[in-house]
Amino acid sequence: MSTTLLEPEVDDLRKKAKRSRRNEWWLAAVLLAPNLLLLALFTYRPLLDNFRLSFFSWNISSPTSTFIGLDNYIEFFTRADTAQVVLNTVVFTFFAVAGSMFFGLALAMLLDQKLRGRNFVRSMVFAPFVISGAAVGVAFQFVFDPNFGLVQDLLGRLGVDTPNFYQDPNWAMFMVTFTFIWKNLGYSFVIYLAALQGLNRDLAEAAAVDGASAWTRFWRVTLPQLRPTTFFLSITVLLSSVQVFDIIHTMTRGGPLGNGTTTLVYQVYTETFTNYRAGYGATVSTILFLTLLIITAIQVRYMDRGARK
């Protein structure tokens, strides 16, 4: 008898729950719709259009294009300069990511201590990150100028000859990589600093009581706790460094000696807007996008697997 009396109430509760879930879905759809629409129009549509364009030969000054199938992709993998451009991209990205994260962590650990004036120094470290890359590139042109730059003056005082940063491809790559690290160091620094301030201090104190050295505490206690932050930075700094254009354009124009500092992103620009080969530029950008997608997916998968452990 009591079960029969409760059935209408149960049905009523079920209807209310369904109605509540439906209202939540509608609210989510209304709130997400503008963002999804903007993503579709300004991210996914250009991405698909770029992929389509990679199968065409198109001079951006011409209203017509010619379908050529896989010819652009075949050209990319058989061109003589592709290996050099890919190598430039890998070298620049590796040292830019490693340098930004290493020095960012070192500065974060230093400025996480109770030091006089540390807030001012923190601001100075972060300040270059908000400056335009083009402006930083122009400023560092004078820093590395072999005739009257700051580097030339410092090396001259030490009795060391100044390398010709604008004629030697290796030194030119060092120059643009150093400039990128200097500009973007503040980003890694701030992220690591926030992570350090959220660590469990009890573990480090317990290790110190047990007689662990400072290096052991860092390697065995601090660094493992920073693993999620390190993975996050490895992805974001990687994507940022691969896409760098302004610093290279203002400092070296992709040279010296042809492709001395030309990366894949800079090749997209030169092929599209200098050589007027938008189809081939779309091919290079498509290959770069797929490569970054695979690398990011591997990083995220590895991070998830590490988090489960």
Side-chain angles (χ1 to χ4, degrees):
M1 188 69 175
S2 59
T3 303
T4 304
L5 292 174
L6 290 174
E7 285 181 357
E9 298 178 5
V10 172
D11 291 339
D12 186 52
L13 289 174
R14 288 175 179 171
K15 291 179 181 179
K16 289 181 178 179
K18 290 181 180 179
R19 193 180 306 115
S20 176
R21 286 195 296 268
R22 191 181 305 115
N23 291 338
E24 289 177 357
W25 277 105
W26 277 111
L27 178 61
V30 170
L31 295 176
L32 291 174
N35 293 323
L36 293 177
L37 179 62
L38 291 174
L39 281 173
L41 288 176
F42 297 107
T43 300
Y44 297 117
R45 181 182 175 277
L47 181 65
L48 295 175
D49 197 46
N50 180 82
F51 180 70
R52 178 193 64 81
L53 184 60
S54 68
F55 297 101
F56 288 80
S57 174
W58 179 43
N59 184 325
I60 60 175
S61 63
S62 172
T64 60
S65 58
T66 304
F67 179 78
I68 58 174
L70 296 174
D71 287 359
N72 283 329
Y73 291 91
I74 295 173
E75 180 182 350
F76 175 82
F77 288 106
T78 56
R79 270 177 57 156
D81 63 345
T82 296
Q84 181 63 51
V85 173
V86 171
L87 179 62
N88 290 343
T89 305
V90 172
V91 170
F92 175 83
T93 302
F94 174 79
F95 285 104
V97 173
S100 298
M101 294 178 63
F102 174 81
F103 291 110
L105 177 58
L107 282 172
M109 294 189 66
L110 175 63
L111 296 177
D112 190 38
Q113 310 298 319
K114 295 181 179 180
L115 302 174
R116 178 178 295 181
R118 67 175 182 176
N119 290 334
F120 174 77
V121 178
R122 288 174 179 177
S123 301
M124 292 299 100
V125 172
F126 183 74
F129 179 68
V130 300
I131 302 175
S132 165
V136 172
V138 171
F140 271 79
Q141 276 187 311
F142 296 99
V143 171
F144 286 101
D145 189 283
N147 297 315
F148 54 85
L150 176 62
V151 173
Q152 181 272 338
D153 181 65
L154 293 176
L155 293 179
R157 295 174 184 272
L158 298 174
V160 179
D161 292 335
T162 305
N164 197 329
F165 295 103
Y166 294 96
Q167 296 297 325
D168 189 319
N170 294 325
W171 282 111
M173 181 60 71
F174 167 82
M175 176 176 65
V176 295
T177 305
F178 179 90
T179 304
F180 175 87
I181 293 173
W182 183 87
K183 180 192 180 304
N184 293 275
L185 181 62
Y187 173 74
S188 299
F189 161 74
V190 166
I191 300 298
Y192 268 130
L193 182 62
L196 286 172
Q197 293 177 347
L199 293 184
N200 186 347
R201 305 284 182 175
D202 294 337
L203 296 176
E205 292 175 0
V209 171
D210 291 339
S213 63
W215 171 253
T216 302
R217 293 198 301 272
F218 167 75
W219 188 256
R220 298 293 185 182
V221 179
T222 302
L223 203 57
Q225 294 184 81
L226 292 175
R227 180 178 295 176
T229 304
T230 300
F231 274 114
F232 169 77
L233 282 173
S234 68
I235 294 173
T236 55
V237 178
L238 171 70
L239 296 177
S240 174
S241 61
V242 169
Q243 298 178 69
V244 67
F245 166 80
D246 43 14
I247 291 175
I248 294 176
H249 185 65
T250 54
M251 297 188 74
T252 63
R253 297 291 196 276
L257 304 179
N259 296 318
T261 57
T262 297
T263 59
L264 287 171
V265 164
Y266 197 79
Q267 188 180 39
V268 172
Y269 165 78
T270 56
E271 292 292 343
T272 304
F273 299 105
T274 303
N275 300 334
Y276 300 103
R277 301 185 62 203
Y280 188 77
T283 300
V284 177
S285 61
T286 299
I287 292 172
L288 179 60
F289 166 75
L290 294 175
T291 303
L292 289 177
L293 182 64
I294 294 171
I295 294 174
T296 304
I298 294 173
Q299 287 177 304
V300 171
R301 184 176 180 83
Y302 184 73
M303 180 174 62
D304 290 341
R305 184 177 300 174
R308 293 194 203 102
K309 293 179 181 179

